[in-house]
């Protein structure tokens, strides 16, 4: 496969609505962007503005921009179904709400962290994740996917291997409505990906079928060395992964055409323009 122009952009605010975020993406020359569908600190269901979402969808369509929603931080897929029951329902309702917003905005889907479970046997945690995803996607007919993101390992051992991600997707009722978000900082911090010329990672991801589900990349550098288990994002090329690591990754067949989102500090001009230019330059040369 030939190397394509990378589709890049950053996480944008919805202060001006979903359409406002899309407008900002257009203005900065981005090919993609991410947004919080609602307050990122709460699981409260949002009665969202459908006209605003529709304007966002149309703008993105007109300008060929891809968008993706990031679920609120308290969204934990491993939430226990029984105790307390209310928390499970709140999580499911919130995720379904996020999915509906993403669908209305014409987005690829909703990114949700793999989940954490500390109450006991990790197998119960995995079981919970599968139950939660099945419940969220039950009867779902939309195009928007539930996109699982790998974790840095700073909150326990779950969601830090390709095997876990692939297995969870396989074991759910609707694997076609499930995608993956590869966060490069988390992958580097957890030891899932070594950075640099990591052919073993590429090979294992192909064999396991991880690449088949790849929908989005969080293109973050890391402020800490590999295996540090620290979730501290740096701007691309300014951390321990470095330019060489990203150059190799961006040239893999499996990532061609996959949108890359920055979740790091913006440049002095308050945008991701510099980061986008960097990545485009690396891929070209
Ligand atoms: Zn991320």
């Amino acid at each position: 496969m030939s190397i394509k122009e990378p589709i890049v952009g950053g996480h944008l605010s919805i202060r001006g609505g979903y359409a406002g975020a899309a407008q900002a993406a257009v203005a900065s020359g981005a090919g993609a962007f991410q947004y919080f569908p609602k307050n990122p600190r709460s699981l409260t269901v949002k009665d969202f503005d459908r006209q605003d979402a529709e304007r966002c969808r149309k703008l993105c369509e007109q300008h060929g921009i891809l968008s993706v929603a990031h679920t609120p931080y308290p969204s934990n897929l491993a939430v226990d179904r029984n105790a307390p029951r209310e928390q499970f329902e709140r999580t499911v309702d919130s995720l379904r709400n996020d999915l509906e917003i993403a669908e209305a905005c014409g987005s690829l889907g909703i990114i949700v962290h793999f989940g954490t479970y500390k109450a006991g046997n990790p197998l119960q945690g995995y079981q919970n994740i599968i139950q939660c995803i099945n419940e969220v996607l039950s009867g779902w007919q939309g195009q928007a996917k539930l996109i699982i993101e790998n974790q840095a390992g700073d909150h326990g051992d779950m969601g830090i291997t390709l095997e876990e991600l692939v297995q969870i997707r396989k074991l759910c009722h609707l694997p076609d409505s499930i995608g993956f978000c590869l966060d490069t900082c988390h992958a580097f911090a957890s030891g899932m990906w070594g950075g640099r010329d990591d052919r073993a990672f590429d090979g294992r991801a192909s064999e396991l079928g991880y690449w088949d589900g790849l929908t989005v990349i969080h293109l973050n550098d890391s402020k800490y060395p590999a295996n540090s288990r620290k979730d501290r994002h740096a701007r691309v090329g300014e951390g321990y992964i470095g330019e060489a690591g990203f150059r190799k990754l961006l040239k893999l067949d499996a990532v061609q055409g996959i949108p890359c989102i920055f979740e790091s500090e913006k440049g002095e001009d308050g945008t991701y323009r510099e980061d986008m230019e960097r990545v485009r330059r690396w891929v070209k040369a």
Side-chain angles (χ1 to χ4, degrees):
M1 203 192 283
S2 60
I3 307 293
K4 291 183 187 155
E5 163 96 357
I7 302 168
V8 282
H11 182 97
L12 299 177
S13 160
I14 57 160
R15 227 176 292 123
Y18 306 120
Q23 198 67 65
V26 173
S28 72
F33 72 96
Q34 175 176 280
Y35 61 94
F36 287 124
K38 57 190 185 224
N39 179 352
R41 309 203 186 283
S42 153
L43 295 179
T44 307
V45 167
K46 178 173 171 175
D47 183 15
F48 67 101
D49 181 344
R50 290 195 176 264
Q51 285 182 341
D52 174 31
E54 176 64 10
R55 277 197 300 276
C56 170
R57 193 185 66 75
K58 281 197 176 138
L59 264 171
C60 290
E61 210 177 88
Q62 269 166 24
H63 294 272
I65 291 174
L66 299 176
S67 71
V68 67
H70 194 297
T71 61
Y73 296 116
S75 311
N76 181 12
L77 291 174
V79 60
D80 226 300
R81 192 179 183 135
N82 304 308
R85 174 90 197 158
E86 191 191 298
Q87 189 60 18
F88 178 82
E89 276 160 13
R90 262 166 63 79
T91 305
V92 169
D93 291 348
S94 171
L95 288 167
R96 186 66 178 223
N97 178 227
D98 294 337
L99 208 49
E100 274 155 16
I101 295 172
E103 184 76 15
C105 289
S107 305
L108 295 169
I110 58 165
I111 296 175
V112 55
H113 296 162
F114 187 89
T116 55
Y117 186 75
K118 289 176 180 162
N121 190 339
L123 285 179
Q124 184 62 52
Y126 295 123
Q127 202 65 54
N128 291 354
I129 292 172
I130 293 166
Q131 271 177 350
C132 185
I133 294 177
N134 283 342
E135 194 87 10
V136 172
L137 292 178
S138 160
W140 180 245
Q141 304 262 327
Q143 299 293 308
K145 291 181 178 180
L146 186 147
I147 304 166
I148 309 170
E149 175 172 352
N150 62 298
Q151 299 182 142
D154 52 338
H155 295 291
D157 291 337
M158 284 179 104
I160 59 172
T161 64
L162 290 170
E163 286 79 359
E164 289 165 280
L165 295 155
V166 169
Q167 282 305 325
I168 291 289
R169 180 169 182 251
K170 258 189 210 164
L171 293 169
C172 287
H173 292 153
L174 296 172
D176 289 343
S177 290
I178 300 170
F180 298 129
C181 170
L182 173 66
D183 187 304
T184 52
C185 170
H186 300 175
F188 185 71
S190 68
M192 185 170 121
W193 171 56
R196 310 276 147 174
D197 190 7
D198 193 347
R199 287 179 206 194
F201 173 75
D202 183 25
R204 218 166 48 252
S206 305
E207 255 170 60
L208 290 166
Y210 174 79
W211 291 142
D212 302 339
L214 187 69
T215 312
V216 186
I217 294 174
H218 278 167
L219 206 67
N220 301 315
D221 210 325
S222 173
K223 289 191 176 173
Y224 287 88
N227 303 308
S228 66
R229 295 240 183 164
K230 287 209 166 74
D231 185 5
R232 292 291 305 281
H233 302 179
R235 294 176 71 187
V236 272
E238 296 185 6
Y240 279 87
I241 296 172
E243 180 178 333
F246 287 111
R247 276 181 182 272
K248 291 285 182 191
L249 179 80
L250 291 163
K251 287 178 182 164
L252 295 178
D253 282 352
V255 311
Q256 303 308 309
I258 302 290
C260 295
I261 305 287
F262 307 116
E263 298 178 307
S264 43
E265 293 135 34
K266 292 175 182 150
E268 276 173 21
D269 67 348
T271 76
Y272 291 104
R273 221 171 287 220
E274 208 181 313
D275 307 72
M276 294 193 287
E277 275 164 22
R278 236 176 251 175
V279 171
R280 286 172 179 148
R281 184 160 21 92
W282 291 344
V283 171
K284 226 177 268 169

